[in-house]
């Protein structure tokens, strides 16, 4: 037996607009709250509360954290079950209103069918209101209920309601939200929450509860079959492909396609909790037996025969940035979409969005809570759909590769055409052939350290020593590269990330030509160096830390950079105005203050360590 339809609701809006009171009243007056919790809400009072003892303080029914009760604010998303008069169930996510907790609100909106956006009638529409409305639209919420709250504080004035409805209508139209219902409300007095207001007789529309119940739980792309494979179930005489059906419906006899490879199989059995089924629909955990037994693994996506999406490795996407550190193009993150986890590089920040007027502004970075459009490249083709087609296989999060923090929620707009227009050609004369001709293996030696630490000096001497032994080499020096290929880049963290990315790609190409590449680059951030390392196979990348104290580098100051930094002319010099993150586990550490010959010998030994060079 299929479960009853569930409506997912996100309640959002600016801080102190009255979300908790509105949700609390919905819960209390629909019998969705245990009696002991109601008793507590009648007897406990926050400091400064004006609600008489014996009456219910509805806001206390949703604030689960002690800090929330003390401050009278919502910090984390709280989920509450709401019993609807029709017998359907709803889950309300009470999202924080503070700007600093916008990331929590975005997470709640990502699974919502309906949004209840609360606006304080006295304060009107605020920037955070627009931000929440924009995030709801980006997250694919198709039904938004605007609850204009606290009408009792403005004398139930219809003009106030009309003005706010007009303010929000333009933004909703611009964001192309299909269904918007504006309801005048007094959550404290109960007007138009459950029952119609006897005071605002000028309003003839539905109440908040009626609006929620009338909302369809449909979502875009529900007709397209998408099954992200979670696991393979094996038993004697049985091999099933299991996961939660993200969208569409599947019946016995339907054909399914592995989106990454195009292999097709027929569903011969649907094993389900409680017995076999003939048909399953979106949201149900299923296990399909397929004929023939095609190669399917966790991370693959099974799609309907008529809705095959072509895997791609370059995408345009809208994101909500949640990281404390700004998003920088050129930096690598992990993209997570269902069972898919793949390294991804943000190749461009196209624009950031002004949430109040919808204007697109030029940007190279996105900071906390900003919304923008990016382009990104995955390290292998993945079957991501446009978000408008499927929120389940078109929505993703970005994860910082060092801290493992979730730094962004994103929605794929489309796969870039150049993704399918570019195909790597396998030449017969490859790296192995060149290495045999050269008589040694290729390798990349990445020297990192502060400016003036001695990287270029050591690289220069090491190249001479290797050259004398017949090893084909080349040095990619930071300043030399910036005078040509990277002359368009500055020294901000995002430009440094792009600088490292380009140099690493060039080093990889040169290594493919069969030479030993010595890179002398400050490359101050660990994440950027790790991204560079990830381009290479194990053993092909040797990180060398040229360890020289900052004071020594300052004294040397061979390029006059430290003098400029002291004079305020160079604010982003590593180690002075910008952090330098020394390697935690480099293959080699050499002293920049000791005998240069010994450092050179160590680098040469690292190159020759395999005995093949």
């Amino acid at each position: 037996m299929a479960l009853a339809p569930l409506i997912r609701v996100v309640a959002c809006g600016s801080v102190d607009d009255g979300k908790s009171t509105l949700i609390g009243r919905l819960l209390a007056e629909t019998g969705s709250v245990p009696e002991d919790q109601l008793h507590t809400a009648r007897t406990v009072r926050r400091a400064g509360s004006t609600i008489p003892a014996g009456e219910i303080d509805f806001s206390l029914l949703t604030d689960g954290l002690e800090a929330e009760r003390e401050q009278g604010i919502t910090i984390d998303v709280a989920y509450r079950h709401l019993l609807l008069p029709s017998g359907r169930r709803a889950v309300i996510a009470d999202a924080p209103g503070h700007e600093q907790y916008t990331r929590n609100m975005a997470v709640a909106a990502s699974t919502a069918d309906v949004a209840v956006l609360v606006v304080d009638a006295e304060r009107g529409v605020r920037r955070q209101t627009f931000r929440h409305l924009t995030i709801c639209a980006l997250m694919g919420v198709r039904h938004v209920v605007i609850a204009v709250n606290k009408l009792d504080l403005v004398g139930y004035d219809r003009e106030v309601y009309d003005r706010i409805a007009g303010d929000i209508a333009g933004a909703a139209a611009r964001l192309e939200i299909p269904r918007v219902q504006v309801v005048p409300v007094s959550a404290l007095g109960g007007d138009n929450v459950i029952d119609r207001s006897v005071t605002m007789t000028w309003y003839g529309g539905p109440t908040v509860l009626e609006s929620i119940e009338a909302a369809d739980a449909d979502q875009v792309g529900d007709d397209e079959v998408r099954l992200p494979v979670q696991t393979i179930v094996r038993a004697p005489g049985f091999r099933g492909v299991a996961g939660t059906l993200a969208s569409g419906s599947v019946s016995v006899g339907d054909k399914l396609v592995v989106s990454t490879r195009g292999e097709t199989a027929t569903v011969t059995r649907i094993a389900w909790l409680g017995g076999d089924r003939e048909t399953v629909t979106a949201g149900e955990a299923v296990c399909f037996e397929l004929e023939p037994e095609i190669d399917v693994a966790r991370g693959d996506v099974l799609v309907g025969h008529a809705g095959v999406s072509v895997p791609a490795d370059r995408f345009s996407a809208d994101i909500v940035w949640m990281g404390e550190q700004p998003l920088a193009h050129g930096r690598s993150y992990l993209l997570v979409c269902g069972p898919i986890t793949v390294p991804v590089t943000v190749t461009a920040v196209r624009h950031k969005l002004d949430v109040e007027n919808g204007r697109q502004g030029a940007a190279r970075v996105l900071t906390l809570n900003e919304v923008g459009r990016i382009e990104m490249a995955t390290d292998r083709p993945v079957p991501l759909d446009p978000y408008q087609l499927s929120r389940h296989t078109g929505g993703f999060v970005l994860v910082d590769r060092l801290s493992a923090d979730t730094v962004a929620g994103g929605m794929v707009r489309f796969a870039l055409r150049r993704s399918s227009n570019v195909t790597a050609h396998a030449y017969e004369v490859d790296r192995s052939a060149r290495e045999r001709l050269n008589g040694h293996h290729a390798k990349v030696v990445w020297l990192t350290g502060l400016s003036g630490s001695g990287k270029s000096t050591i690289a220069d001497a090491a190249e001479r020593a290797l050259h004398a032994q017949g090893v084909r080499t080349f040095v990619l020096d930071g300043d030399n590269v910036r005078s040509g290929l990277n002359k368009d880049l500055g020294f901000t963290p995002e430009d440094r990330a792009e600088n490292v990315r380009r140099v690493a790609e060039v080093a990889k190409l040169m290594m493919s030509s069969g030479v030993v590449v010595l890179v002398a680059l400050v490359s101050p951030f660990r994440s950027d160096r790790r991204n560079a390392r990830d381009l290479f196979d194990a053993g092909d990348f040797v990180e060398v830390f040229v360890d020289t104290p900052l004071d020594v580098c300052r004294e040397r100051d061979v390029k006059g950079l430290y003098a400029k930094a002291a004079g305020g002319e160079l604010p982003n010099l590593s180690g002075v105005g910008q952090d330098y993150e020394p390697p935690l586990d480099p293959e080699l550490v050499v002293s920049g203050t000791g005998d240069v010959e010994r450092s050179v010998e160590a680098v040469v030994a690292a190159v020759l360590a395999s005995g093949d060079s």
Side-chain angles (χ1 to χ4, degrees):
M1 182 180 66
L3 297 174
L6 180 69
I7 301 176
R8 296 186 179 276
V9 183
V10 57
C12 51
S14 300
V15 64
D16 290 336
D17 279 0
K19 295 183 301 300
S20 296
T21 300
L22 176 61
I23 298 169
R25 183 176 284 277
L26 280 169
L27 296 172
E29 297 193 355
T30 56
S32 306
V33 181
E35 187 58 38
D36 59 338
Q37 196 174 354
L38 284 177
H39 176 73
T40 301
R42 284 192 178 94
T43 55
V44 175
R45 288 291 175 268
R46 305 175 194 270
S49 174
T50 58
I51 298 176
E55 295 186 11
I56 299 174
D57 184 347
F58 293 105
S59 66
L60 293 176
L61 297 176
T62 58
D63 295 338
L65 301 177
E66 184 176 348
E68 291 177 332
R69 292 191 293 271
E70 289 176 353
Q71 301 180 55
I73 64 171
T74 302
I75 296 174
D76 202 356
V77 179
Y79 294 89
R80 297 288 186 272
H81 277 266
L82 176 67
L83 302 176
L84 298 173
S86 64
R88 298 177 71 182
R89 297 178 304 130
V91 174
I92 298 183
D94 183 13
H98 281 80
E99 184 173 341
Q100 68 188 94
Y101 301 129
T102 298
R103 70 188 78 178
N104 299 353
M105 179 270 161
V107 171
S110 66
T111 58
D113 306 305
V114 184
V116 176
L117 179 59
V118 182
V119 182
D120 186 320
E122 276 195 317
R123 299 181 180 182
V125 178
R126 290 182 280 173
R127 184 173 180 80
Q128 188 70 342
T129 310
F130 286 120
R131 178 179 283 111
H132 282 188
L133 187 65
T134 301
I135 291 173
C136 286
L138 290 175
M139 293 296 180
V141 181
R142 294 162 59 82
H143 189 127
V144 177
V145 180
I146 308 295
V148 183
N149 192 23
K150 303 184 183 179
L151 259 297
D152 53 306
L153 297 182
V154 295
Y156 302 102
D157 190 340
R158 181 171 184 173
E159 290 186 4
V160 174
Y161 163 80
D162 288 341
R163 184 175 63 251
I164 292 175
D167 290 343
I168 210 78
R174 169 172 48 78
L175 294 168
E176 299 180 348
I177 298 173
R179 293 188 291 277
V180 178
Q181 178 67 51
V182 186
V183 184
V185 169
S186 169
L188 191 63
D191 297 82
N192 290 331
V193 179
I194 305 293
D195 302 315
R196 294 180 184 278
S197 172
V198 296
T199 306
M200 292 180 279
T201 53
W202 44 264
Y203 174 73
T207 66
V208 173
L209 183 64
E210 290 169 346
S211 297
I212 293 174
E213 190 150 39
D216 295 326
D218 64 331
Q219 288 299 324
V220 291
D222 272 357
D223 293 336
E224 298 291 347
V225 174
R226 295 291 185 271
L227 175 70
V229 177
Q230 294 286 350
T231 188
I232 305 300
V233 178
R234 295 179 179 83
F238 178 83
R239 179 178 185 273
V241 179
T244 298
L245 191 62
S247 59
S249 63
V250 177
S251 300
V252 173
D254 287 352
K255 292 185 181 301
L256 296 179
V257 181
V258 183
S259 62
T260 51
R261 295 184 294 279
E263 296 169 304
T264 302
T266 301
V267 178
T268 57
R269 180 185 174 191
I270 301 176
W272 194 74
L273 183 66
D276 287 1
R277 296 268 298 275
E278 287 297 316
T279 300
V280 287
T281 57
E284 295 182 298
V286 297
C287 183
F288 294 141
E289 190 173 24
L290 302 175
E291 177 60 37
E293 291 186 349
I294 55 179
D295 180 17
V296 183
R298 174 180 168 81
D300 286 334
V301 177
L302 296 181
V303 302
H305 189 62
V308 177
S309 60
V310 178
D313 60 4
R314 291 172 176 82
F315 300 91
S316 173
D318 293 321
I319 65 169
V320 181
W321 188 250
M322 308 173 187
E324 297 291 340
Q325 300 298 319
L327 161 70
H329 70 271
R331 188 153 292 173
S332 179
Y333 302 91
L334 288 178
L335 182 149
V336 181
C337 175
I340 298 173
T341 299
V342 59
V344 61
T345 300
V346 178
T347 55
V349 178
R350 286 303 178 192
H351 65 250
K352 65 179 178 181
L353 188 69
D354 187 319
V355 295
E356 289 192 39
N357 53 35
R359 291 174 184 159
Q360 300 170 357
R364 301 194 68 181
V365 299
L366 293 177
T367 57
L368 181 64
N369 295 329
E370 285 190 325
V371 178
R373 182 162 299 166
I374 64 169
E375 291 182 359
M376 57 185 186
T378 55
D379 74 342
R380 60 181 172 82
V382 289
L384 299 181
D385 286 310
Y387 195 78
Q388 288 300 313
L389 182 65
S390 171
R391 69 191 307 181
H392 303 283
T393 51
F396 61 87
V397 297
L398 297 182
V399 177
D400 186 286
R401 303 185 67 175
L402 288 179
S403 66
D405 291 337
T406 297
V407 293
M411 295 126 283
V412 173
R413 297 184 68 248
F414 51 80
L416 296 170
R417 286 185 178 179
R418 55 180 177 269
S419 172
S420 56
N421 292 339
V422 178
T423 303
H425 187 91
Y427 286 90
E428 291 189 17
V429 179
D430 57 10
R431 173 186 167 186
S432 298
R434 297 186 185 99
E435 287 179 337
R436 286 195 297 274
L437 183 65
N438 291 340
H440 61 78
H441 279 302
K443 190 174 290 188
V444 169
V445 180
W446 193 284
L447 294 97
T448 176
L450 291 167
S451 178
S453 60
K455 300 181 298 298
S456 298
T457 300
I458 294 172
D460 187 18
E463 184 178 36
R464 291 200 306 272
L466 291 167
H467 187 77
Q469 298 186 48
V471 177
R472 298 180 188 275
T473 59
F474 192 85
V475 176
L476 288 172
D477 185 87
D479 281 3
N480 295 352
V481 175
R482 281 184 177 275
S483 66
L485 174 67
N486 292 351
K487 65 169 55 176
D488 59 319
L489 299 177
F491 294 90
T492 61
E494 57 272 19
D495 276 2
R496 287 186 183 276
E498 177 63 10
N499 185 47
V500 170
R501 188 189 71 82
R502 292 184 192 177
V503 170
E505 292 286 357
V506 171
K508 185 178 181 180
L509 286 174
M510 298 191 72
M511 189 186 72
S512 297
S513 74
V515 306
V516 171
V517 186
L518 299 159
V519 176
L521 200 67
V522 174
S523 45
F525 302 118
R526 293 189 190 108
S527 58
D528 297 337
R529 296 195 298 269
R530 176 172 176 168
N531 295 340
R533 178 189 288 273
D534 287 347
L535 291 175
F536 301 90
D537 294 332
D540 286 344
F541 186 92
V542 178
E543 188 176 33
V544 179
F545 176 37
V546 182
D547 187 5
T548 308
L550 178 59
D551 290 342
V552 175
C553 296
R554 274 201 178 103
E555 291 175 5
R556 291 174 179 171
D557 201 14
V558 291
K559 300 175 183 175
L561 300 180
Y562 291 97
K564 289 183 180 179
E569 301 176 46
L570 196 58
N572 290 328
L573 183 61
S574 298
V576 180
Q578 196 176 72
D579 288 342
Y580 175 81
E581 300 170 350
L584 297 177
D585 190 23
E587 279 78 5
L588 179 64
V589 179
V590 298
S591 172
T593 58
D595 182 10
V596 175
E597 287 301 320
R598 293 187 61 180
S599 295
V600 171
E601 289 174 4
V603 171
V604 171
V607 172
L608 304 177
S610 65
D612 296 316
S613 298

